[in-house]
Amino acid sequence: MSSVIIPENVLSSLDSLFADGRCPHAVLVDGSGEVQRETLARLTAKMIVCSNKERTPCGVCENCRKADENIHPDIITVKKPEDKKFFVKADVKKMV
């Protein structure tokens, strides 16, 4: 994971979203800088795919390791092209 510091209240809120093995249908990441938003989004994705239901993310299961290496097949990263104002149609299809 990155060396970006996520505030404790944000981590606590994120933990509560996944309490009792639940998974929210959506998480909106907003504010701060781009690096902090991306770090929080990656942490959320890692929490979703983690195999350890006692503590997520555990950081040691196969899914966590793949997430850390950016090779997990269920986690994709789509960035808006810098020269465009909006996402291009192909990227939206990839997200869906």
Side-chain angles (χ1 to χ4, degrees), residues 80-81 84-88:
K80 180 183 70 63
K84 303 287 184 191
K85 189 172 181 179
F86 302 102
F87 284 97
V88 295

Side-chain angles (χ1 to χ4, degrees), residues 61-72:
C61 71
E62 182 179 5
N63 288 327
C64 283
R65 287 194 315 269
K66 285 183 177 182
D68 285 339
E69 296 172 21
N70 295 323
I71 59 170
H72 195 287

Side-chain angles (χ1 to χ4, degrees):
M1 195 66 51
S2 172
S3 62
V4 173
I5 297 173
I6 305 293
E8 195 60 41
N9 64 326
V10 173
L11 292 174
S12 179
S13 295
L14 192 57
D15 281 339
S16 70
L17 290 175
F18 290 90
D20 301 324
R22 294 176 295 146
C23 180
H25 75 280
V27 176
L28 178 61
V29 179
D30 189 24
S32 297
E34 181 180 351
V35 173
Q36 192 169 17
R37 287 191 308 268
E38 185 174 332
T39 300
L40 186 57
R42 288 185 178 283
L43 175 63
T44 304
K46 191 173 170 181
M47 291 175 84
I48 292 170
V49 300
C50 180
S51 299
N52 185 342
K53 298 307 171 201
E54 298 297 316
R55 189 183 107 233
T56 60
C58 70
V60 295
C61 71
E62 182 179 5
N63 288 327
C64 283
R65 287 194 315 269
K66 285 183 177 182
D68 285 339
E69 296 172 21
N70 295 323
I71 59 170
H72 195 287
D74 294 331
I75 300 175
I76 62 167
T77 302
V78 180
K79 293 189 177 196
K80 180 183 70 63
E82 290 183 22
D83 62 334
K84 303 287 184 191
K85 189 172 181 179
F86 302 102
F87 284 97
V88 295
K89 185 176 180 179
D91 287 341
V92 174
K93 285 184 176 185
K94 184 178 178 183
M95 284 185 265
V96 172

